[in-house]
Amino acid sequence: MFLQSLTLENFRCYERAELDFRPGLNVVLGPNASGKTTILEAIYLLATTTSARGGRARTMVRHGQSWGRVTGRFVVDGRELTLRTTLGDPSGDRSGAKTLEIDGREVASAREIIGRVQAILFWVGELDVVKGSPAERRHFLNAALGQMSARYLDDLARYRRALRQRNEVLKGMAHRGGDGRMLAPWTHSLVESGVPITIDRRDYLAALAPEAAALHERLGVGAEGLSVRYEPSVVNSQADGELADEFYRALEETHRRELDRRSTQVGPHRDDMLLEIDGVDLRRFGSQGQQRTAALALKLAQARVALARTEQQPILLLDDCLSELDPARGAAMLDLSRDHEQMIVTSACCPEHLADRLADAHLIGSGADDATCEPCEGKE
Ligand SMILES: Nc1ncnc2c1ncn2[C@@H]1O[C@H](COP(=O)(O)OP(=O)(O)OP(=O)(O)O)[C@@H](O)[C@H]1O
Ligand SMILES: [Mg+2]
């Protein structure tokens, strides 16, 4: 799949912009604060219906305006597909509304959109996957699996609800006493939704790990082996049928502690991923460059797994990577674009040492600027 064109209206710094894209390598060029990241954010919004930067949808509306809109024309399986997200209400009635459209038809739920277009975004926030808290790594897993499976998102919603309710009961028990019977329905629903989440995460990481290791090697750091492993809160013995029993047992074993702490101590909300380079824990001991390369390898691996599972080649959105990677890694990253139907990269400038690799790329100017940059001009 690939993006053909993008129209931004009242979206962050853009009053109105129409941008064309091509299959293959696209480079969005422009100085700082010219709206490069905003373009990737807009594409990500169309694909996932959410902002990669977090926060309320309204913050994406251009300051001083009551509504904003992003429209993207994609080609999926050889067919055109137009996705449109409107934030706020152009007629001024419903300022908090978010309207989603597919080919001009309004859809009631984000579920109808998610998965139609797969976009994988690598941006500065992605480093948190490596160096941030376990919650960041769970977020990575949730976003990756959620883009491919609405069922996973349903399980996650049921799990979060059960966890919230169960923790409420635990708090009540700490105040007023009570017995385990009050917990039972929430324990049941916690296990029921938690087991498929654990299995999905385990299988996903089993598929992701070898891809991430191979891509990490191709990014020019062959001497360093990247290993990615699931660290589930409820350890399971491979036999899926036993996982529920193990979860119940782990909850029983931690019952004293959960009463003391008034919160559920085991379950997928405590999962983590172990990331190692040559046996050293990257989360705590990795250099910036190592962490960045590993995060990039994870993202690119996410695209590979999505391709294998959905038979769709996701659009790769890479924000500001070129300036951060050393020349060899930057070149290796651009070379990977040959494996992808479409890669959209942003950069404040195209570095001179990459000029030959960028010569065939489609250059797009962000903001009011033309896509020009001396090394590229020199090439022409
Ligand atoms: N809701 C909004 N309304 C108007 N302008 C906004 C809004 N949100 C962000 N901006 C502005 O949009 C501009 C572009 O931001 P963006 O992050 O896309 O730039 P960038 O080209 O990626 O910059 P950099 O090279 O520094 O990463 C910034 O000046 C920012 O302050
Ligand atoms: Mg930026």
Side-chain angles (χ1 to χ4, degrees), residues 98-366:
K98 180 157 78 179
T99 313
L100 307 171
E101 287 166 65
I102 300 176
D103 292 331
R105 173 179 62 89
E106 189 174 331
V107 297
S109 134
R111 286 188 54 148
E112 288 189 53
I113 303 251
I114 295 169
R116 297 264 187 146
V117 166
Q118 303 257 344
I120 289 183
L121 170 65
F122 181 82
W123 66 303
V124 64
E126 223 58 55
L127 267 188
D128 293 342
V129 171
V130 177
K131 64 177 190 188
S133 66
E136 302 287 352
R137 285 177 286 281
R138 290 192 295 274
H139 178 72
F140 169 83
L141 289 170
N142 292 341
L145 281 159
Q147 249 196 82
M148 292 187 293
S149 160
R151 210 253 312 122
Y152 181 86
L153 290 177
D154 288 344
D155 286 334
L156 201 60
R158 281 196 299 135
Y159 183 83
R160 285 177 173 155
R161 179 160 176 267
L163 183 66
R164 215 170 33 243
Q165 300 285 356
R166 198 170 183 278
N167 288 345
E168 280 305 311
V169 175
L170 284 170
K171 281 193 195 93
M173 283 167 76
H175 285 303
R176 298 184 292 274
D179 60 41
R181 270 176 303 182
M182 292 159 67
L183 276 180
W186 299 118
T187 302
H188 177 71
S189 119
L190 195 77
V191 171
E192 209 177 39
S193 53
V195 165
I197 293 172
T198 305
I199 292 172
D200 283 352
R201 287 179 178 174
R202 182 199 65 198
D203 292 350
Y204 182 70
L205 282 175
L208 189 83
E211 296 285 3
L215 284 157
H216 191 258
E217 207 177 313
R218 274 184 64 187
L219 282 169
V221 278
E224 298 180 330
L226 172 68
S227 128
V228 182
R229 250 183 305 141
Y230 186 27
E231 278 188 336
S233 161
V234 180
V235 178
N236 75 82
S237 47
Q238 292 305 315
D240 294 352
E242 289 165 23
L243 197 51
D245 289 341
E246 282 181 50
F247 199 173
Y248 278 119
R249 201 157 40 232
L251 285 165
E252 247 172 63
E253 277 164 13
T254 53
H255 188 53
R256 272 247 69 80
R257 209 152 26 107
E258 67 180 8
L259 281 177
D260 287 349
R261 305 205 179 155
R262 300 169 195 189
S263 66
T264 307
Q265 298 295 304
V266 286
H269 65 291
R270 292 288 180 92
D271 282 354
D272 200 354
M273 262 157 80
L274 179 64
L275 302 164
E276 285 179 338
I277 281 190
D278 292 340
V280 176
D281 189 341
L282 203 53
R283 297 173 296 194
R284 294 194 296 147
F285 300 111
S287 78
Q288 291 257 29
Q290 281 178 322
Q291 290 180 336
R292 179 173 292 275
T293 313
L296 184 57
L298 278 177
K299 270 283 135 164
L300 295 167
Q302 188 189 337
R304 296 285 161 94
V305 177
L307 170 64
R309 290 200 176 179
T310 63
E311 291 175 19
Q312 297 283 359
Q313 189 56 282
I315 301 170
L316 273 180
L317 310 171
L318 306 178
D319 193 28
D320 233 355
C321 289
L322 299 178
S323 59
E324 302 283 349
L325 294 172
D326 64 36
R329 289 176 205 212
M333 189 201 79
L334 289 180
D335 287 344
L336 284 170
S337 69
R338 294 196 205 110
D339 297 1
H340 293 273
E341 200 167 342
Q342 188 175 49
M343 189 162 173
I344 304 173
V345 177
T346 69
S347 183
C349 183
C350 30
E352 204 146 356
H353 62 271
L354 295 174
D356 59 333
R357 285 191 165 76
L358 294 171
D360 295 332
H362 177 50
L363 303 186
I364 299 152
S366 60

Side-chain angles (χ1 to χ4, degrees), residues 12-13 31-38 53 59 61-63 320:
R12 291 209 189 269
C13 53
N32 293 137
S34 60
K36 300 181 298 297
T37 303
T38 299
R53 298 197 221 198
T59 58
V61 174
R62 187 173 151 87
H63 294 150
D320 233 355

